[in-house]
């Protein structure tokens, strides 16, 4: 009897818990209710007919019916938000069939959720899904926070590749934090292509090569892939050319092969003419924007089917001819990606034409290799050379908000002097204001009024690289750039890795500010690490000598005769107090022009 009573109590408790879990209130957010643009991947957010379209409404009367219908599909569209919840829910309705014969419902109609740790590392979230009239995804057991704070992390939600979304909502349990993030201000990478760019046959939206590439470069990307209809048509090219792009990628050759059964009604000379016309149109409207011409990546059966080999070989040879002609005409910033660099083989395609997830990764790797070179956004072997964002601080300041504020200030009031660094510089003084200014007077006395404080608390070398890649040194000509960075890498990286990061940093600054005088400031000494800092500063001095930039070690003013820091100049053994900042400023001031 006691056992029956006990089991009855346990059953009641479990039943109560299940009912509570089922009825826990979820706060839902609909992107259509946002006051700022939040849907990344749309080039015409204010002109669309339907909320999740990829072309403006006026295109319906301009392009072919097939292109317009495909543009209603949400390939490449993405939502960013922050959340500190262990559970994230998504519900939405689509217009078309959930699956295709050669592509699963998770790719055609599913969503895909990725997270970014506070240190900038990517994470993928597995969710349970149900496909019905309303599609639902539930992501549970998520680690709600990293170790730095309790305000969560950034998430990126990729929308369906081959379906049009009617409405969509994201929900988190009541009592948790949820913050929609606006679309990023960077010029986007623009892809105009075929079904392969559209996303066929990725198993889920995040595995389309365009999405993989967007994560690898961490750049906004606009996917204008139109399945079976990426044909370099004048009407479509005219619309594409309206976009202020960071780079244009043309990947349309798979839809331009000359086949006996083709209904295109074009010749191989027509293909060449379309390549020439498209490139000239883009170059006329965008004189300096890089244009990338992608070769046909081939077919799975090309080594056993001579006809397949002929189809891709013919258009690739035509592409080379067009490229050579354009270069002979003086067209600059024009690039071609050869077939081999996409790395497709007998294991990388679903049906001989469309890549599987492995094939998508190979595509993305081929593009990354070339675009990093074209955009001068290199990535080395050490973590110090991998440009990433960070979210290690949200209690006192917002890293992304500071980045946006700096971009806005640089546009409105271009600085003559730029000071790049971490919290030591962030908390010194100047504009934009930080959460505190422990030496505002000495800052003004050292750098003057027209100096920009481009320092962020908790920043490492790799975070500075990301910021430079994302516009903080663009659009103006500074006279001087001072850099003090690396103290937050000491516990993670070897001296060699820190030097490798510095070397890439100097190269990036020179590329974006070719006329500025660059001065690398040695890492400032800190409690219990004075000896290592002295050794690594010697290596930094040697690096600057080899690269032809200036070196200054003003942090020596913090040292006593025994080589240890003077604790009276610091608040915590790392950050100077007002007296310490004054001494630091006095050491730097003679070198400020």
């Amino acid at each position: 009897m006691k056992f029956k009573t006990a089991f009855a109590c346990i059953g009641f408790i479990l039943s109560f818990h299940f009912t509570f879990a089922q009825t826990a209130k979820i706060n839902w957010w609909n992107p259509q209710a946002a006051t700022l643009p939040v849907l990344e991947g749309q080039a015409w957010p204010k002109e669309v007919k339907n909320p999740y379209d990829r072309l403006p409404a006026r295109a319906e009367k301009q392009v072919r019916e097939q292109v317009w219908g495909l543009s209603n599909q949400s390939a490449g569209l993405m939502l960013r938000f922050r959340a500190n919840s262990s559970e994230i829910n998504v519900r939405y309705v689509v217009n078309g069939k959930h699956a295709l014969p050669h592509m699963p419902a998770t790719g055609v109609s599913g969503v895909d959720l990725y997270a970014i740790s506070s240190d900038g590392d990517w994470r993928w979230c597995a969710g349970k899904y149900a496909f019905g009239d309303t599609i639902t995804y539930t992501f549970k057991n998520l680690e709600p926070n990293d170790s730095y704070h309790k305000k969560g992390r950034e998430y990126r939600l990729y929308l369906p590749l081959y379906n049009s979304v009617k409405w969509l909502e994201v929900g988190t349990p009541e009592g948790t934090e949820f913050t929609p993030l606006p679309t990023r201000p960077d010029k986007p990478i623009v892809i105009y292509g075929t079904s392969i760019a559209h996303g066929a046959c990725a198993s889920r939206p995040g595995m389309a090569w365009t999405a993989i590439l967007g994560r690898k470069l961490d750049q906004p990307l606009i996917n204008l892939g139109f399945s079976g209809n990426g044909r370099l048509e004048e009407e479509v090219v005219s619309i594409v050319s309206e976009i202020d792009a960071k780079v244009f990628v043309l990947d349309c050759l798979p839809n331009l092969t000359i086949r006996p059964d083709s209904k295109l009604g074009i010749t191989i000379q027509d293909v060449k003419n379309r390549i020439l016309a498209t490139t000239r149109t883009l170059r006329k409207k965008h004189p300096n924007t890089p244009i990338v011409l992608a070769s046909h990546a081939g077919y799975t059966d090309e080594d056993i089917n001579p006809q397949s080999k002929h189809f891709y070989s013919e258009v690739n040879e035509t592409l080379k001819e067009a490229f050579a002609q354009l270069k002979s005409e003086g067209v600059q910033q024009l690039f071609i990606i050869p077939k081999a660099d996409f790395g497709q083989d007998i294991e990388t395609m679903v049906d001989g034409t469309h890549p599987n997830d492995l094939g998508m990764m190979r595509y993305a790797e081929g593009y990354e290799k070339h675009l990093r070179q074209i955009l001068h956004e290199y990535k080395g072997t050490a973590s110090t050379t991998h440009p990433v964002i960070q979210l290690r601080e949200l209690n006192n300041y917002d890293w992304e908000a500071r980045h946006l504020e700096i971009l806005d200030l640089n546009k409105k009031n271009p600085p003559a002097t730029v000071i790049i660094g971490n919290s030591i510089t962030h908390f010194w003084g100047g504009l934009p204001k930080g959460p505190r200014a422990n030496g505002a007077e000495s800052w003004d006395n050292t750098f003057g009024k027209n100096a920009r404080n481009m320092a962020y608390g908790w920043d490492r070398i790799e975070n500075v690289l990301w910021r430079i890649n994302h516009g903080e040194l663009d659009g103006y000509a500074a006279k001087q750039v001072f850099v003090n960075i690396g103290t937050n890498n000491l516990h993670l990286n070897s001296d060699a890795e820190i030097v490798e990061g510095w070397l890439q940093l100097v190269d990036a600054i020179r590329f974006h500010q070719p006329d500025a005088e660059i001065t690398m400031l040695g890492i400032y000494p800190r409690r219990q690490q004075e000896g290592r800092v002295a050794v690594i500063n010697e290596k930094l001095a040697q690096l600057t000598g080899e690269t032809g930039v200036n070196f200054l070690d003003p942090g020596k003013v913090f040292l006593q005769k025994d080589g240890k820091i003077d604790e009276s100049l610091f608040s915590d053994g790392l950050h100077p107090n007002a007296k310490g900042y004054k001494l630091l400023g006095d050491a730097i001031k003679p070198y400020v022009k």
Side-chain angles (χ1 to χ4, degrees), residues 273-541:
N273 290 340
R274 290 191 184 195
I275 296 169
L276 295 172
T278 299
T279 305
R280 288 166 181 159
T281 296
L282 293 175
R283 179 53 71 235
K284 183 177 181 180
K285 290 192 175 183
H286 305 276
N288 302 310
T289 303
I291 300 172
V292 177
L293 307 177
S295 300
H296 193 309
Y299 303 104
T300 299
D301 67 341
E302 63 187 50
D303 291 326
I304 199 171
N305 187 332
Q307 191 177 53
S308 292
K309 191 167 187 176
H310 168 73
F311 289 151
Y312 83 75
S313 297
E314 184 179 37
V315 290
N316 280 349
E317 285 302 315
T318 302
L319 182 71
K320 292 178 184 177
E321 293 173 7
F323 177 78
Q325 181 173 331
L326 290 163
K327 295 296 284 186
S328 69
E329 294 173 4
V331 176
Q332 299 298 313
Q333 287 287 84
L334 181 66
F335 306 90
I336 192 169
I337 301 182
K339 171 186 179 295
D341 286 0
F342 290 125
Q344 302 299 313
D345 58 41
I346 62 171
E347 312 293 355
T348 65
M349 296 183 189
V350 172
D351 54 4
T353 301
H354 300 98
N356 54 28
D357 288 352
L358 175 60
M360 289 292 186
M361 183 62 72
R362 298 266 183 87
Y363 262 101
E365 290 170 347
Y367 273 111
E368 181 189 14
K369 171 186 173 182
H370 285 268
L371 288 179
R372 285 199 180 279
Q373 189 78 25
I374 292 167
L375 300 175
H376 208 89
E377 296 183 4
Y378 302 113
K379 177 181 177 181
T381 55
S383 64
T384 54
T385 67
H386 298 181
V388 293
I389 62 173
Q390 60 107 333
L391 200 66
R392 291 182 277 269
E393 174 66 86
L394 267 179
N395 294 314
N396 294 308
Y397 89 100
D398 186 310
W399 194 88
E400 182 171 329
R402 182 169 176 83
H403 171 64
L404 296 177
E405 186 178 7
I406 283 175
L407 294 179
D408 187 57
L409 275 174
N410 290 348
K411 187 176 181 179
K412 293 177 179 177
N413 183 26
T417 304
V418 169
I419 304 91
I420 294 172
N422 47 49
S423 58
I424 300 172
T425 304
H426 188 177
F427 301 155
W428 190 348
L431 295 175
K433 290 183 177 181
R436 60 183 183 270
N438 295 334
E441 184 177 344
S442 64
W443 172 278
D444 292 340
N445 185 54
T446 302
F447 299 111
K449 296 292 185 181
N450 194 21
R452 185 75 70 245
N453 186 333
M454 289 190 190
Y456 294 58
W458 289 92
D459 253 17
R460 300 171 186 157
I461 297 170
E462 54 267 34
N463 307 130
V464 176
L465 283 170
W466 187 97
R467 296 196 279 114
I468 291 174
N469 287 350
H470 288 255
E472 289 193 7
L473 292 181
D474 294 336
Y476 62 96
K479 294 181 179 179
Q480 286 185 286
V481 177
F482 291 90
V483 184
N484 172 256
I485 196 70
T487 195
N488 291 325
N489 292 94
L490 292 174
H491 68 295
L492 295 169
N493 299 104
S494 66
D495 290 4
E497 291 171 333
I498 291 173
V499 170
E500 185 181 348
W502 276 334
L503 185 63
Q504 187 162 312
L505 186 56
V506 170
D507 178 72
I509 295 170
R510 270 187 164 153
F511 178 77
H512 290 271
Q513 287 286 340
D515 299 322
E517 180 182 85
I518 303 171
T519 300
M520 300 295 289
L521 304 176
I523 293 178
Y524 303 141
R526 56 188 296 174
R527 182 188 295 155
Q528 297 180 348
Q529 296 206 47
E530 295 93 340
R532 184 184 177 194
V533 167
V535 170
I536 200 168
N537 280 344
E538 290 178 3
K539 296 177 181 179
L540 176 57

Side-chain angles (χ1 to χ4, degrees), residues 162-179:
Y162 266 83
N163 226 319
S164 56
V165 177
K166 285 185 178 180
W167 62 265
L168 177 145
E169 292 180 330
V170 181
T172 53
E174 187 176 43
T176 60
E177 294 187 27
F178 179 91
T179 305

Side-chain angles (χ1 to χ4, degrees), residues 208-229:
W209 71 257
T210 51
I212 299 171
L213 180 66
R215 290 194 300 276
K216 284 179 173 291
L217 297 177
D218 201 13
Q219 297 281 1
L221 186 145
I222 292 176
N223 184 337
L224 295 178
F226 303 114
S227 189
N229 288 273

Side-chain angles (χ1 to χ4, degrees), residues 118-156:
S118 293
D119 288 324
D121 300 317
W122 285 96
R123 304 282 187 263
W124 180 72
C125 307
K128 290 188 176 181
Y129 47 82
F131 287 84
D133 292 338
T134 298
I135 301 173
T136 62
Y137 271 72
T138 303
F139 303 90
K140 288 189 175 183
N141 302 316
L142 304 172
E143 188 68 42
N145 299 290
D146 294 327
S147 60
Y148 298 98
H149 51 75
K150 300 298 182 183
K151 296 182 179 292
R153 61 175 59 83
E154 180 179 333
Y155 289 88
R156 299 186 184 181

